[in-house]
Amino acid sequence: MTRIAARRRRWPWIVLIVVVVLLVPIAIIVVPILTHESSGQSSQQLVDGEWPLSVTAEGDDGRTRTLTLAGENGEPIDTEALVRGERVVVTGTGYDGTQGVYVAVCVIPETSADKPGPCIGGVPSQQQENVAEGTVQWAPSNWINADWAWRLFGARSYDDTATGTFTAYLELGDPLGEDADCITNECGIFTRNDHTALNDRVQDVYVPVQFTE
């Protein structure tokens, strides 16, 4: 009877430990999402009619972000005549490395207060099977996040979290796909905060692009 009583007394502690083990990781992920406050807007300025390969934006948070496009081997690309399947290397610096970003071709919103989108490729995913470490994974959209928890779900880390420097590898999807129409609409290769800060527009930076039909 003594052993049975001892076992019964241990069960509540075992349950408590299991609950803590389950809830702590969830809290680490969920609490920052629920408590995040907007840092403002990116305040990016573009000149109509220009097709730059690099843009800079001085955000309301005091950070100066730079977004640059290049071809697969570093060569210049024609952003007025992109084609499906073309590979584009996107580099950024000056971003908030504590906050994740999506990188994708998105429809330019009507105002800077609106979230860019829809985007070609939908929600980014980098998960691929049997990929050797260090191998470049090309996808229609990329997800950059330095948090170890989100990297388990396919996010790529920043190259340098302190300076907010990253590299994304886009293999352009269908401009007339289900996710977005970038033939009829004006689009750009965007960065925007990931799902952990969906309503924060401070990292909305883009290079305008156009597809050939």
Side-chain angles (χ1 to χ4, degrees):
M1 293 294 293
T2 303
R3 291 182 178 179
I4 294 176
R7 290 174 181 173
R8 288 177 177 173
R9 287 195 297 269
R10 284 199 295 268
W11 269 111
W13 290 104
I14 294 173
V15 171
L16 178 61
I17 292 172
V18 170
V19 170
V20 170
V21 169
L22 292 175
L23 290 182
V24 168
I26 294 174
I28 291 174
I29 293 174
V30 173
V31 170
I33 296 176
L34 297 177
T35 59
H36 181 83
E37 296 183 1
S38 175
S39 299
Q41 298 187 13
S42 69
S43 301
Q44 180 179 354
Q45 302 292 326
L46 285 174
V47 177
D48 290 340
E50 291 189 358
W51 297 89
L53 288 176
S54 184
V55 295
T56 298
E58 297 182 5
D60 290 343
D61 59 354
R63 293 177 178 271
T64 299
R65 296 170 174 83
T66 300
L67 188 67
T68 303
L69 309 183
E72 182 176 0
N73 299 307
E75 72 278 11
I77 60 173
D78 185 356
T79 54
E80 290 185 85
L82 297 180
V83 295
R84 180 179 180 178
E86 185 173 353
R87 289 180 168 179
V88 180
V89 178
V90 184
T91 55
T93 189
Y95 285 73
D96 182 355
T98 66
Q99 182 62 57
V101 294
Y102 293 146
V103 184
V105 179
C106 304
V107 175
I108 299 173
E110 292 185 3
T111 72
S112 59
D114 297 325
K115 181 176 71 176
C119 302
I120 296 176
V123 176
S125 175
Q126 300 304 120
Q127 292 178 314
Q128 296 183 19
E129 296 181 0
N130 302 319
V131 176
E133 183 177 355
T135 300
V136 172
Q137 298 179 51
W138 299 88
S141 53
N142 281 203
W143 179 17
I144 310 295
N145 196 312
D147 193 299
W148 64 269
W150 295 121
R151 293 207 303 276
L152 295 176
F153 290 92
R156 176 183 288 114
S157 184
Y158 281 86
D159 299 333
D160 185 343
T161 304
T163 60
T165 301
F166 68 83
T167 306
Y169 302 93
L170 298 183
E171 185 168 277
L172 303 179
D174 185 356
L176 282 172
E178 295 180 0
D179 298 316
D181 178 354
C182 283
I183 297 297
T184 304
N185 300 301
E186 294 184 348
C187 291
I189 292 183
F190 271 87
T191 58
R192 63 178 175 88
N193 276 320
D194 64 13
H195 60 282
T196 62
L198 281 176
N199 296 318
D200 192 337
R201 307 270 61 85
V202 76
Q203 303 209 105
D204 290 359
V205 182
Y206 73 99
V207 176
V209 298
Q210 184 172 279
F211 284 82
T212 57
E213 296 192 42

